[in-house]
């Protein structure tokens, strides 16, 4: 076995062997004699003629081994050992008397067949060809390499995200080709409701011609967006090319799936979501890889879907956190699709009811053109938005019991005579936050300092981290013993509204059970953000957006953008104002996100946010990396890295300690450990150099066998 640095790798590849593996390679090279080796036999067994060397990506996922390794190809495996197939190889073998012995078996992928190796020592043979299916195509490998470089990650980690685990049964069966379209000629290229946008029809026609337009689409409120997205994909198929769309969740995928089926018929596209199960999902993935179908809609993992002759990549609601992968190297679906659009010269469509600052920057730099409706169309499609301050008190006793201001109470009461009413509550649970009634200090557990909460059914406060019941709580600040609710959860809201409207059914949608839809009948639908079901028929008669401060007061650079995104997502499900649709938002009316919702001007909000980011030097006008770990380890990595000229080092700042028993979120330090975080900021154009420098520094630390880990994340979405 030998090694060869990926020729497209970052400078970290020069140190990629690292540690014991590098020492082994050097030892073997010293023992080897003569020019490059061209193996013919292995322990008497014949090797493949012509191309006896297989270059393999070993599935190790370690930065210091982020390179290819060469193996000998036995003659018996010559036919099946083709580039792109899965293999099993021995890794970490030692040279004993000119032969490689031992080593652990690992899976990998053949990336190339060669006549000879750059390595002059003996090569270990491939242990097994797991499948002749060529799943890691050259195009997919190039994409994975680009993603790994952008996010300072290991190529093997990205390939794990891109290629699903093997299932033998789907591989053994052929993929049925999509039936030919038998509809009226030109139907696939019809613009449909894209005509509501001044430039919408032209975008669809450009796709149908075979062009590659790029657009940021601010969709009108209402139920039409799945059909509009499906029409863009159908127009791309009409040009003879493939189309890919990534949506936040399975419910959105089901809506686009239904729209595509209505336009294309059965069997002409696939859906990639976790709901399908591993075997069926792999069957659909193979249909794309084999070119049997050329259209796919799916959740985050579909960003890597191997669509042949890609003509359009689309993403809906790119601000949703589900588009950000939590496994290393944590790529974002939007950025992966941008890479694909550039590399594969495909069209690009970023859509949503609101616009992120990243979308606004694409328009600002003229990389993409905006697709927005006229103000007349917006007024015709949007519901009436009314605001009420958080401290406005209800005069009606029933309204006070339901924890609603008078305006919200009146709107709800009237709307329930016409249809369902949506109530969006920022927090799940019953009373997920308690505070001292006297000084308003957050109430915490006497054992682990976790936050106290009230659970359904009443009783004493309970710790949200360790579960301890506080029977005699006392405030550590003022000595008070009485508690008040900081925020009321979805279940408590459902109880209160159910008592206020006893004859109206109450339905809940949240983490414990997400509803896809609700009937067009009077009902109170209590939902957490992102779990709002679609109302059948014309939509909800009204919506209440409660506790707006809980979204706006988050210590996050994106707090305002995220609040507007969640509000607009709920408000878009409500009937237009002309049909009586009304939305009441409980939030300070003068705040920018509230005003943007009232005017239904999300694109304008994004433009102003982008201008502020530019003034402060924050992403996306700059590139940033977060480095987290123990203080000494973080300082060592920052000092080791050859950072680009002009890099701003922000910090370090302490990361809150995770108390034992508290649920850990992605990126949290181990319980009880004190970690720090440093932010590294560079100007646009230096992002690749920053990622390369950090990857090289990480590789060097691993080669030195540094014990303390350091986590590096490029362009973190949650800068506080």
């Amino acid at each position: 076995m030998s090694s060869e640095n990926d020729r497209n790798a970052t400078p970290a590849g020069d140190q990629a062997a690292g540690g014991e593996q590098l020492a082994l390679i050097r030892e073997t090279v010293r023992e080897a004699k003569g020019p490059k080796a061209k193996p013919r036999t292995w322990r008497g067994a014949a090797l493949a003629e012509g191309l006896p060397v297989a270059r393999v990506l070993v599935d190790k996922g370690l930065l210091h081994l982020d390179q290819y390794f060469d193996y000998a190809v036995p003659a018996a495996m010559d036919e099946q050992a083709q580039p792109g197939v899965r293999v099993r190889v021995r890794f970490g073998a030692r040279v004993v008397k000119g032969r490689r012995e031992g080593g652990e078996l690992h899976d990998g992928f053949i990336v190339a067949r060669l006549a000879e190796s750059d390595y002059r020592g003996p090569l270990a043979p491939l242990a097994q060809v797991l499948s002749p299916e060529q799943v890691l195509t050259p195009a997919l490998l190039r994409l994975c390499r680009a993603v790994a470089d952008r996010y300072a990650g290991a190529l093997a980690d990205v390939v794990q995200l891109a290629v699903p685990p093997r299932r033998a049964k789907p591989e053994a069966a052929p993929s049925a080709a999509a039936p030919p379209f038998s509809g009226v000629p030109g139907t696939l290229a019809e613009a449909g409701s894209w005509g509501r946008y001044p430039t919408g029809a032209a975008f669809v026609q450009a796709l149908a011609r075979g062009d590659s337009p790029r657009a940021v689409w601010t969709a009108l409120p209402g139920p039409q967006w799945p059909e509009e997205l499906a029409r863009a994909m159908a127009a791309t198929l009409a040009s003879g090319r493939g189309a890919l769309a990534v949506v936040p969740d399975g419910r959105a995928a089901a809506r686009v799936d239904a729209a595509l089926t209505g336009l294309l018929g059965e069997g002409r596209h696939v859906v990639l979501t976790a709901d399908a199960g591993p075997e069926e999902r792999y069957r659909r993935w193979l249909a794309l890889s084999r070119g049997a179908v050329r259209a796919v809609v799916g959740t985050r993992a579909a960003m890597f879907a191997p669509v042949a002759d890609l003509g359009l990549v689309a993403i809906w609601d790119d601000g949703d956190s589900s588009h950000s992968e939590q496994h290393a190297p944590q790529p974002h679906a939007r950025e992966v699709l941008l890479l694909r659009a550039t590399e594969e010269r495909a069209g690009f469509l970023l859509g949503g009811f609101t616009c992120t600052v990243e979308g606004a920057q694409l328009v600002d730099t003229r990389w993409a053109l905006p697709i927005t409706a006229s103000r007349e169309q917006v007024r015709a499609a949007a519901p009436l938005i009314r605001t009420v301050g958080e401290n406005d008190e209800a005069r009606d006793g029933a309204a006070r019991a339901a924890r609603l201001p008078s305006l919200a109470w009146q709107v709800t009461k009237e709307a329930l005579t016409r249809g369902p009413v949506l109530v969006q509550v920022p927090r799940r649970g019953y009373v997920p936050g308690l505070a001292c009634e006297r000084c308003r200090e957050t109430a915490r557990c006497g054992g682990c300092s976790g936050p106290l909460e009230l659970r359904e059914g009443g009783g004493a406060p309970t710790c949200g981290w360790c579960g301890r019941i506080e029977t005699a709580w006392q405030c550590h600040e003022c000595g008070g013993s009485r508690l008040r609710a900081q925020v009321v959860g979805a279940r408590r809201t459902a109880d209160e509204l159910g008592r206020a409207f006893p004859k109206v059914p109450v339905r809940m949608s949240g983490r414990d059970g997400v509803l896809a839809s609700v009937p067009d009948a009077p009902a109170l639908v209590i939902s957490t953000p992102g779990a709002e079901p679609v109302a059948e028929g014309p939509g909800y008669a009204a919506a209440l957006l409660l506790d707006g401060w809980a979204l706006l007061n988050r210590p996050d650079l994106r707090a305002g953008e995220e609040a507007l995104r969640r509000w607009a997502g709920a408000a878009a499900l409500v009937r237009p104002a002309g049909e009586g649709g009304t939305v009441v938002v409980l939030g300070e009316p003068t705040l920018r996100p509230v005003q943007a919702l009232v005017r239904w001007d999300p694109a304008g909000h994004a433009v102003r946010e982008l201008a502020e980011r530019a003034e402060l030097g924050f992403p996306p006008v700059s590139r940033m990396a977060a480095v987290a770990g123990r203080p000494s380890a973080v300082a060592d990595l920052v000092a080791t890295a050859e950072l680009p000229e002009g890099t701003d080092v922000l910090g370090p700042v302490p990361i809150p300690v995770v108390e034992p028993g508290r649920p850990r979120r992605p990126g949290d330090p181990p319980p009880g450990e004190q970690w720090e975080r440093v932010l590294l900021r560079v100007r646009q154009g230096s992002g690749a150099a920053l990622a390369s420098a950090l990857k090289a520094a990480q590789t060097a630390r691993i080669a030195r066998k540094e014990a303390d880990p350091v986590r590096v994340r490029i362009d973190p979405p949650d800068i506080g």
Side-chain angles (χ1 to χ4, degrees), residues 11 17 24 36 125 158 172 217 229 232 292 324 327 457 485 591 605 621:
L24 173 59
K36 295 179 179 179
V158 181
W217 164 41
L229 182 54
S324 185
H327 294 92
L591 295 177
H605 180 272
V621 297

Side-chain angles (χ1 to χ4, degrees), residues 31-294:
E31 293 180 2
K33 297 180 179 180
K36 295 179 179 179
K38 188 173 182 180
R40 293 299 177 192
T41 62
W42 172 262
R43 296 186 177 180
L47 296 179
E49 293 293 333
L51 301 174
V53 177
R55 185 151 290 164
V56 176
L57 171 66
V58 182
D59 189 8
K60 290 287 287 182
L62 301 175
L63 279 181
H64 63 300
L65 299 177
D66 188 26
Q67 58 182 26
Y68 299 144
F69 295 87
D70 289 350
Y71 287 83
V73 181
M77 301 181 188
D78 187 21
E79 184 178 351
Q80 290 190 331
Q82 299 302 313
V85 305
R86 305 177 201 253
V87 293
R88 187 161 288 164
V89 297
R90 290 199 174 275
F91 191 81
R94 292 187 175 276
V95 178
V96 179
K97 295 182 179 179
R99 293 181 177 180
R100 288 194 168 271
E101 303 284 355
E104 297 180 354
L105 284 173
H106 287 275
D107 292 344
F109 298 87
I110 295 179
V111 299
R113 287 286 298 273
L114 306 171
E116 56 186 26
S117 173
D118 293 336
Y119 180 64
R120 295 181 296 164
L123 301 181
L126 299 174
Q128 182 184 1
V129 176
L130 294 174
S131 165
E133 190 79 41
Q134 293 173 270
V135 291
L136 187 59
T137 62
L140 187 55
L141 179 61
R142 286 194 300 272
L143 174 64
C144 292
R145 179 76 269 173
V147 173
D149 290 346
R150 189 195 187 286
Y151 286 95
L155 176 59
D157 282 338
V158 181
V159 171
Q160 277 191 341
L161 300 176
V163 181
R166 178 177 179 258
R167 293 283 187 266
K169 188 174 179 181
E171 281 191 356
S175 297
F181 182 71
S182 57
V184 178
T187 301
L188 293 182
E190 290 181 354
S193 57
W194 278 104
R196 301 185 299 165
Y197 308 89
T199 57
F203 178 80
V204 175
Q205 292 162 6
L207 290 172
R209 287 195 307 267
D211 296 341
S212 300
R214 300 180 296 217
V216 174
W217 164 41
T218 306
L220 285 166
Q224 292 91 346
W225 73 265
E227 181 184 351
E228 290 163 353
L229 182 54
R231 284 192 178 277
M233 297 176 70
T236 308
L237 293 177
S239 72
R241 299 174 297 166
L244 181 161
V246 179
V247 295
D249 53 46
R251 293 181 303 137
R255 295 179 67 186
V256 180
D257 174 34
L260 274 172
T261 302
L263 288 172
L264 306 176
E266 297 284 350
R268 295 181 178 86
H269 74 281
V270 295
V271 179
L272 294 181
T273 63
D275 297 337
E279 187 166 302
E280 178 59 28
R281 181 183 173 87
Y282 189 48
R283 189 190 315 278
R284 297 174 184 179
W285 189 91
L286 285 175
L288 289 167
S289 181
R290 293 167 176 174
V293 293
R294 304 174 77 176

Side-chain angles (χ1 to χ4, degrees), residues 294-336:
R294 304 174 77 176
V296 56
V297 58
T299 48
R300 181 180 61 227
M303 60 185 166
F304 292 106
V307 179
D309 192 15
L310 191 60
L312 173 68
V313 292
I315 182 170
W316 174 259
D317 195 11
D318 65 307
D320 193 297
S321 61
S322 63
H323 286 305
S324 185
E325 176 62 59
Q326 295 303 314
H327 294 92
Q330 300 176 299
H332 193 286
R334 177 188 57 245
E335 304 305 319
V336 173

